[in-house]
Amino acid sequence: MESILASSLLAKVTSVATLAKAGGAASGSFLAGLSTTAVTVGAVPVVLGAVGFTGAGITASSLAAKMMSVAAIANGGGVASGSLVATLQSIGAAGLSLSSKIAVGSAGSALVALVV
């Protein structure tokens, strides 16, 4: 179940990146790659907030709340440290570190290159 929810989150990030690419610079250009990376990194906090991972905690009745419920049931009542839900909540609350921004930007650019 958690993998389905993660796939849904990935689909939203891909959708945002694809829409940004459609209105951006010529495909394959340096500018297109740079803008795709920036949009991908910039989209992460927006998408996480939209699905319920916020600075104030997990939003009630959101996709994040459902993910947390599934993770807690699977783990005997608590969300395990280092799990997908815990990591996404940490990013939603504190943002991405520099190394994470580089990793997400690179992965997003590669993903968009495959989509387009």
Side-chain angles (χ1 to χ4, degrees):
M1 180 78 170
E2 204 169 67
S3 65
I4 292 170
L5 297 174
S7 297
S8 174
L9 180 62
L10 180 61
K12 289 182 183 196
V13 171
T14 304
S15 175
V16 168
T18 303
L19 287 173
K21 176 96 174 178
S27 179
S29 71
F30 172 74
L31 186 56
L34 186 60
S35 66
T36 301
T37 301
V39 167
T40 304
V41 171
V44 169
V46 174
V47 172
L48 287 178
V51 297
F53 294 103
T54 69
I58 292 180
T59 305
S61 300
S62 66
L63 178 61
K66 291 177 180 111
M67 289 176 69
M68 185 173 126
S69 175
V70 168
I73 290 168
N75 199 38
V79 176
S81 177
S83 69
L84 176 64
V85 173
T87 302
L88 292 176
Q89 179 53 39
S90 176
I91 294 168
L96 293 168
S97 66
L98 179 59
S99 60
S100 295
K101 287 179 183 177
I102 292 169
V104 167
S106 299
S109 293
L111 187 64
V112 169
L114 291 173
V115 171
V116 175

